[in-house]
Amino acid sequence: MTDATNDDWDERDRAARSELDVEVDPFGSSTPMKNGRLNRPGMMVKVSRDGSPVGWVSVYEQSEEWLLETFKIHVFKEYRFNKALHEVGEYQPRWGLFLMEELFAQFPDKEIRESQAVNDPPGFAFVKRVRGEYALPYHQPECFRAEEEQCVCGIGRRRSTTNL
Ligand SMILES: [Zn+2]
């Protein structure tokens, strides 16, 4: 692949990103419901394009205010990464990546951790790309479980301590 191709793809990525509209909807509450159950507070980051939904990711607030945990990542079928296209070297907008970039952009001062649940349908390969190829600081499910500073993935508490 030549640099010219990469530049072109960067340009097309930028164009695709600029087509997206982002909405953040809070849900739940830290006040217990009538039956005493807690409907944990969270946010849903939704990305759409020309009014049609591309995907969403839900995150829950954790007991530490600097920590969020993703619950579900959903990318609508027509916007999922097509490996076959990728293998023949064709450009395709990485909508799943753009969704995750928006999640991190919305909460610049929080650490964001993957849930212990399976994030299907994007699946493990996607989450791996989020960390690897896309280099987003997405903590592994094991991070910060036992104690605050226990980040096992090696990213550390970069984001949440930036403004201290
Ligand atoms: Zn970590």
Side-chain angles (χ1 to χ4, degrees):
M1 196 184 289
T2 66
D3 284 343
T5 308
N6 280 327
D7 285 348
D8 181 47
W9 283 23
D10 285 349
E11 191 54 50
R12 291 165 81 171
D13 274 354
R14 270 192 291 277
R17 273 190 193 93
S18 71
E19 291 172 18
L20 295 175
D21 293 310
V22 185
E23 193 186 311
V24 180
D25 288 341
F27 61 84
S29 147
S30 46
T31 312
M33 294 186 285
K34 269 189 192 149
N35 60 12
R37 285 183 55 194
L38 198 65
N39 184 11
R40 281 195 302 155
M43 272 86 58
M44 192 179 255
V45 177
K46 299 174 180 172
V47 166
S48 61
R49 180 171 163 254
D50 282 339
S52 89
V54 171
W56 49 261
V57 49
S58 54
V59 286
Y60 279 107
E61 293 176 3
Q62 302 296 297
S63 46
E64 301 89 347
E65 53 147 37
W66 47 266
L67 184 62
L68 291 176
E69 183 173 285
T70 54
F71 180 61
K72 270 214 148 171
I73 303 168
H74 182 78
V75 178
F76 288 90
K77 211 169 177 185
E78 59 270 40
Y79 291 103
R80 287 185 204 155
F81 193 73
N82 182 332
K83 253 191 214 158
L85 263 186
H86 184 69
E87 270 157 24
V88 296
E90 288 233 6
Y91 174 79
Q92 62 183 308
R94 293 166 296 170
W95 302 113
L97 161 66
F98 304 154
L99 169 67
M100 292 305 280
E101 284 178 341
E102 277 305 330
L103 169 70
F104 282 86
Q106 291 297 323
F107 308 107
D109 55 350
K110 308 264 192 209
E111 302 298 334
I112 301 175
R113 176 174 72 194
E114 182 189 351
S115 79
Q116 286 172 309
V118 180
N119 273 316
D120 274 336
F124 182 72
F126 172 72
V127 170
K128 208 172 150 189
R129 271 208 309 277
V130 168
R131 286 202 185 90
E133 192 184 333
Y134 304 160
L136 289 170
Y138 192 28
H139 287 284
Q140 287 177 4
E142 296 77 23
C143 291
F144 311 120
R145 288 281 164 199
E147 51 185 288
E148 266 200 20
E149 298 304 329
Q150 191 206 38
C151 166
V152 299
C153 75
I155 294 169
R157 275 186 66 184
R158 273 199 320 211
R159 298 158 57 82
S160 58
T161 51
T162 306
N163 299 320
L164 288 186

